[in-house]
Amino acid sequence: MKRSGPPVATRNDHGFSGLRGFWAFTALPAGARLALAAVVAVLLLVDGVLALLAQTPMPTSIVYVGALIAIGAFAWRPPVAATVLVACGLVATLLGAGGPYSLALAVSAGLVTSTCGQWLSISYCVVTVALAMVAEGVGQGLVQGGGVGGVALGLASGLIGCGFREGRAREHQLSAHIDRLRRESAAAVQMERDRIADELHNVIAHDITTVVMQARALELVDDPLTRDTSRRAITDAATQALTDIRRMLRLVQGTDETVGGAGAGTVSLAATLESLRLGLGSTGASVELSFPGNEISISNSIETTLVHIAREAATNVMKHARRTPSIRLAVTSDRECITLQVWNAPSTGKSDGTADATGYGLKRMNDRVMLLGGTFEAGGAEKGWTVTATLPRF
């Protein structure tokens, strides 16, 4: 929300008790400043006319004019205005006109408590009470009991000012709360978008890449058996992509009860690697799969992450090294960690340059592994390219 005045000191949500500094203040809203300036201008005109008609002594007239100008100053610098008002009150008391002036101070207490800091407001109220008592005691225009009436008037005005101040404080608090909710909502939407994009890239992209690579293979080979294998691979990959899209739609609509959101954890790592071995082998590469004979016990989140990494690494091989003669998929584990490694030999022949190397896949793989406290490496090794992910088993 746009603030309607100059910067103010820090305060808490419980009024002005948290304001720092004697001269700290909260500016009046723009509309209130304009209204106050208009009222002061009218009062100055009326006071001038009355002073001429009643032939008020010049010193007293100057004090009254100064007081009105000080009230107008609340529109810009409330602490200065309050100080000038008190000073004019002292002068008016010395001139014998403290009675009416003390009532003016009491009425202005609402402006002080609404805009000025805690200690300045307290000091102002103390001086106002003292001037009212003195004015009544020495007979400066106040009847008996008039001082008490002035104190009551000042108390009422001050409470009204505090009420306005608390209202503005709640308004700022609600505004800040609404802004925070908007930010959180935007962050939640962005997180959901990132998750869907991650699913598209890590799951469906593999199947689509398989379709593209096998379709290209159909154009390059004449062997009926090879072409039949490519057709089956295209059908299987397209069917899997359609299944993944439907699953994602159920997930977005809130009808998928899969824990963890991705749903990849419903497929075991061993089954995924075997499927990748067959898919990569259908491109003509020699694929070696190394998986421990005994069943590996790992948490669902770790297995889900390894499945994503295996599919993404295989997709990268098909995109960027589709003529590679040799691929190795290996899983090793010990008592604490499990490691997945995907290696491919350099692609033979000239690349067609159609692969889009954005680096998004590697970044997302690294983010997934780091999130679970593991390590991730990708780069040239063993005269080829290696992707290695090591994760704690639990």
Side-chain angles (χ1 to χ4, degrees), residues 207-221 226-227 229-235 237 282-283 318 322 352:
D207 300 319
I208 299 301
T209 301
T210 300
V211 171
V212 173
M213 295 299 103
Q214 294 296 345
R216 289 174 178 172
L218 284 175
E219 300 174 354
L220 298 176
V221 298
T226 303
R227 292 175 65 86
T229 300
S230 295
R231 290 192 187 96
R232 287 198 304 271
I234 290 173
T235 301
S282 66
T283 63
M318 298 177 70
R322 65 187 185 92
D352 56 12

Side-chain angles (χ1 to χ4, degrees), residues 48-361:
V49 173
L50 293 177
L52 290 175
L53 294 177
Q55 296 183 348
T56 305
M58 183 60 68
T60 304
S61 297
I62 293 175
V63 171
Y64 286 164
V65 171
L68 288 174
I69 294 175
I71 293 175
F74 275 100
W76 292 274
R77 286 295 181 270
V80 175
T83 304
V84 173
L85 270 178
V86 170
C88 290
L90 295 175
V91 174
T93 301
L94 294 176
L95 295 175
Y101 196 92
S102 64
L103 295 179
L105 287 177
V107 172
S108 302
L111 284 173
V112 176
T113 56
S114 176
T115 57
C116 295
Q118 180 181 22
W119 292 110
L120 180 56
S121 298
I122 293 175
S123 301
Y124 179 92
C125 292
V126 170
V127 173
T128 299
V129 171
L131 291 178
M133 294 295 102
V134 170
E136 181 183 356
V138 300
Q140 293 186 354
L142 287 181
V143 299
Q144 186 175 3
V148 177
V151 172
L153 180 62
L155 178 61
S157 178
L159 290 176
I160 293 174
C162 289
F164 279 115
R165 189 184 192 100
E166 288 295 332
R168 290 200 304 271
R170 286 192 294 270
E171 181 183 353
H172 286 295
Q173 183 181 6
L174 289 175
S175 177
H177 182 63
I178 291 173
D179 289 341
R180 181 176 60 83
L181 290 179
R182 287 175 178 170
R183 291 193 299 269
E184 291 177 355
S185 176
V189 171
Q190 186 61 46
M191 184 181 299
E192 185 66 12
R193 288 174 177 171
D194 291 342
R195 186 169 66 87
I196 294 174
D198 192 46
E199 281 294 294
L200 287 170
H201 190 272
N202 285 282
V203 179
I204 300 176
H206 170 76
D207 300 319
I208 299 301
T209 301
T210 300
V211 171
V212 173
M213 295 299 103
Q214 294 296 345
R216 289 174 178 172
L218 284 175
E219 300 174 354
L220 298 176
V221 298
D222 296 324
D223 180 59
L225 181 60
T226 303
R227 292 175 65 86
D228 186 60
T229 300
S230 295
R231 290 192 187 96
R232 287 198 304 271
I234 290 173
T235 301
D236 293 342
T239 302
Q240 183 61 46
L242 182 60
T243 301
D244 289 336
I245 291 174
R246 288 172 175 170
R247 176 180 55 79
M248 289 185 62
L249 289 176
R250 292 195 302 271
L251 184 66
V252 171
Q253 295 169 356
T255 58
D256 196 335
E257 298 180 355
T258 302
V259 177
T266 58
V267 182
S268 69
L269 177 61
T272 298
L273 292 176
E274 178 61 25
S275 175
L276 293 176
R277 184 186 70 82
L278 295 175
L280 293 171
S282 66
T283 63
S286 172
V287 184
E288 176 187 348
L289 173 60
S290 176
F291 196 86
N294 57 327
E295 184 177 350
I296 303 176
S297 178
I298 56 178
S299 68
N300 290 335
S301 60
I302 297 299
E303 187 165 22
T304 297
T305 298
L306 290 175
V307 166
H308 275 298
I309 292 174
R311 293 172 70 93
E312 176 62 28
T315 300
N316 285 344
V317 172
M318 298 177 70
K319 289 171 60 178
H320 306 296
R322 65 187 185 92
R323 292 191 177 91
T324 178
S326 180
I327 302 172
R328 183 171 68 246
L329 309 174
V331 174
T332 58
S333 68
D334 54 30
R335 296 181 60 182
E336 297 181 355
C337 298
I338 181 171
T339 299
L340 168 67
Q341 186 178 80
V342 179
W343 172 87
N344 65 274
S347 179
T348 59
K350 184 178 179 180
S351 173
D352 56 12
T354 59
D356 183 16
T358 63
Y360 178 81

